Amino acid sequence: MNLAAPILEIVGLHKSYEGNTVLRGIDLRVRPGQLICVIGPSGSGKSTMLRCCNRLEEPSAGQIVVDGQDIMHARTDLNAVRQKIGMVFQQFNLYPHMSVLGNVMLALKKVQKHPHAEAERRARRALEQVGMLEKAGAFPGQLSGGQQQRVGIARGIALEPKVMLFDEPTSALDPELVGSVLQVMRQLREAGMTMLVVTHEMAFARAAADRVVFMDGGVIVEEGPPEQIFGDPQQARTKAFVARFAQHG
């Protein structure tokens, strides 16, 4: 059992937009090296929770601690904290006019201020990790969606973050391209990367996650090991959600 101090800790997280409450008191701890999958119906607040973790969304209340630092504190250097939190989005967000290598090098040079040679070395290593090094000179428009998403992952891990956040990383992909991205995520997990993944890929969550978190209506309804959530859920809402996916699976 992993008893290390959490690398990411969310306490009492609330989020409202103009009177519409999206998150209603989320408590979640992610320990180093864990892969946590967050599942639940659309509109349950999963992506909002994830985006609060690096303050892409501003929480209405609550505490978020990353690597021992309260990122809600007024004196926290948000740019420094964000370098500890890699993020992979549904859309690939690559710059079309830059090569694959250029896309991955950009933050290494602009944000972390590495000299060109060091930035290139790190970028090539990250591309190698996701199986995209041979495409370093290609442009995003020359790549499949799955390849673009793997470049997006390389861009995140090149910064050597403490934790990687994945927001539905396969939802924009054609079904036949999903497997290559999930395989990269499995490899990252085996290499010890800490990951918090919002996903609708139930088979991946069941096979790869250390813990599965089921959200609905802005709260965590149930969390536990995959065999519990998928095999013996305790809550009626979890049972109904899992059963619906089992029918389609």
Side-chain angles (χ1 to χ4, degrees), residues 1-198:
M1 191 169 174
N2 188 338
L3 296 175
I7 198 82
L8 172 63
E9 189 166 16
I10 301 168
V11 182
L13 181 63
H14 289 257
K15 176 65 181 178
S16 300
Y17 301 94
E18 299 166 359
N20 176 29
T21 303
V22 182
L23 299 176
R24 305 168 185 272
I26 299 290
D27 295 308
L28 183 64
R29 286 160 189 80
V30 182
R31 300 186 192 281
Q34 284 190 324
L35 169 53
I36 309 294
C37 282
V38 183
I39 63 171
S42 296
S44 57
K46 306 182 300 294
S47 292
T48 301
M49 176 194 73
L50 206 68
R51 292 168 68 86
C52 284
C53 289
N54 59 6
R55 284 178 58 190
L56 284 175
E57 297 275 5
E58 278 297 324
S60 304
Q63 186 182 39
I64 298 169
V65 180
V66 177
D67 196 25
Q69 233 180 334
D70 181 356
I71 73 167
M72 299 303 297
H73 196 283
R75 287 199 295 274
T76 295
D77 181 346
L78 194 54
N79 286 331
V81 170
R82 281 180 173 154
Q83 292 178 50
K84 297 180 177 184
I85 313 168
M87 183 133 188
V88 177
F89 301 89
Q90 296 179 27
Q91 304 301 330
F92 320 124
N93 296 338
L94 300 177
Y95 291 104
H97 64 286
M98 298 178 79
S99 70
V100 163
L101 186 63
N103 269 281
V104 179
M105 285 175 64
L106 188 63
L108 289 164
K109 292 174 71 172
K110 297 279 191 212
V111 179
Q112 292 192 340
K113 309 295 186 193
H114 290 294
H116 184 93
E118 173 65 8
E120 183 169 343
R121 185 185 70 78
R122 288 183 178 223
R124 286 184 180 278
R125 185 174 65 195
L127 287 168
E128 187 171 24
Q129 267 188 279
V130 302
M132 289 298 294
L133 185 55
E134 76 281 2
K135 297 286 188 183
F139 287 84
Q142 299 170 303
L143 305 178
S144 71
Q147 289 173 324
Q148 289 188 57
Q149 190 59 294
R150 281 151 64 194
V151 174
I153 294 172
R155 180 179 52 191
I157 63 175
L159 299 172
E160 298 180 357
K162 298 282 187 177
V163 59
M164 284 285 287
L165 309 176
F166 291 83
D167 186 9
E168 297 273 16
T170 59
S171 67
L173 300 179
D174 293 332
E176 67 271 18
L177 302 175
V178 168
S180 67
V181 172
L182 296 179
Q183 183 58 31
V184 165
M185 292 168 67
R186 285 192 184 93
Q187 289 164 354
L188 289 178
R189 184 207 176 202
E190 286 163 17
M193 176 61 75
T194 308
M195 295 188 278
L196 181 59
V197 181
V198 170

